[in-house]
Amino acid sequence: MEQDDPAEALTELRERRPGAWELLQVAAGSGLAAYAVWALLLQPGFRRVPLRLQVPYVGASARQVEHVLSLLRGRPGKMVDLGSGDGRIVLAAHRCGLRPAVGYELNPWLVGLARLHAWRAGCADSVCYRREDLWKVNLRDCHNVSVFLAPSVLPLLEDKLQAELPTGARVVSGRFPLPTWQPVAVVGEGLDRVWAYDIHRGGPVGQAASGPGSASVPGVPGSHAG
């Protein structure tokens, strides 16, 4: 498998021209000027999140969502999206049978947007979006996890996932791979690429998964995962 370069992916992300809908959702993610003032000056809880743990919002593309689901579809157990943004991955996961599906997002504007999307889809009572700091969420009952986070926080995320996830859990990371874990499957190219990792007793190692568009990883046993 070719070497993944986070710096190259970041450059591609910066150069990509967002569409009108993406611009609207980025505006919601930033909260506009009024929200920024409110969050920084009037909401102590937001200020307590260390700067190094804060992650800017960039919505997942339709292709990214499709790739995440291709690596989680059919798996049992609770599914969570850490830093769920506008909730599109959680909603799609629920629709394909991953239940319960829960999103954790600290930005109240994005939580509201996610709930609006769920209401419009007729799933308001079926999916759950919680306004919580993903670093404080207990993952001990989570068997399927998706993350679209910045490379700077992924080493810390590895520690949290390793300490809390149960044996048999699967983590799918979008845009950037976890820095030291060995993936069991890789799907997509460029910014649409996602990596799957399985948690087994003693560490995040696993069996290679296969499927349409997936790439097995050299050095990982060649049986099916999940």
Side-chain angles (χ1 to χ4, degrees):
M1 182 179 66
E2 63 183 27
Q3 184 69 27
D4 297 307
D5 186 352
E8 181 179 336
L10 279 171
T11 299
E12 183 179 346
L13 187 60
R14 292 191 189 102
E15 292 178 349
R16 188 182 68 178
R17 293 184 178 180
W21 179 240
E22 287 179 296
L23 287 173
L24 178 61
Q25 297 197 99
V26 168
S30 64
L32 303 177
Y35 170 66
V37 172
W38 173 78
L40 294 174
L41 300 180
L42 302 179
Q43 189 190 24
F46 187 85
R47 297 202 307 269
R48 285 197 295 268
V49 178
L51 182 61
R52 67 186 180 129
L53 299 183
Q54 296 179 20
V55 180
Y57 166 70
V58 179
S61 69
R63 183 62 59 84
Q64 289 167 345
V65 174
E66 177 185 336
H67 290 164
V68 169
L69 295 183
S70 73
L71 294 172
L72 293 179
R73 185 178 286 108
R75 287 178 49 83
K78 180 179 180 180
M79 180 273 176
V80 299
D81 186 19
L82 301 179
S84 53
D86 66 0
R88 66 184 70 184
I89 291 179
V90 174
L91 185 57
H94 171 79
R95 284 170 159 171
C96 81
L98 288 162
R99 300 174 185 177
V102 181
Y104 292 100
E105 171 61 52
L106 191 59
N107 187 319
W109 292 77
L110 291 173
V111 173
L113 185 61
R115 290 171 177 168
L116 175 62
H117 287 326
W119 175 78
R120 292 180 61 187
C123 299
D125 297 328
S126 304
V127 297
C128 180
Y129 298 104
R130 297 177 180 170
R131 185 174 168 246
E132 294 186 35
D133 182 353
L134 66 88
W135 299 103
K136 299 179 181 179
V137 173
N138 190 316
L139 302 175
R140 298 191 184 281
D141 65 340
C142 302
H143 293 271
N144 303 285
V145 179
S146 66
V147 294
F148 278 72
L149 300 179
S152 59
V153 303
L154 292 180
L156 295 172
L157 183 68
E158 283 186 337
D159 293 340
K160 177 178 176 63
L161 297 172
Q162 180 60 63
E164 298 180 14
L165 287 178
T167 297
R170 171 167 290 187
V171 179
V172 176
S173 179
R175 297 196 184 104
F176 306 103
L178 298 180
T180 67
W181 290 12
Q182 177 78 357
V184 297
V186 182
V187 177
E189 298 294 335
L191 285 178
D192 292 330
R193 182 175 294 179
V194 298
W195 295 258
Y197 307 86
D198 286 349
I199 304 295
H200 290 262
R201 186 179 304 276
V205 296
Q207 301 167 319
S210 63
S214 67
S216 61
V217 179
V220 180
S223 56
H224 294 282

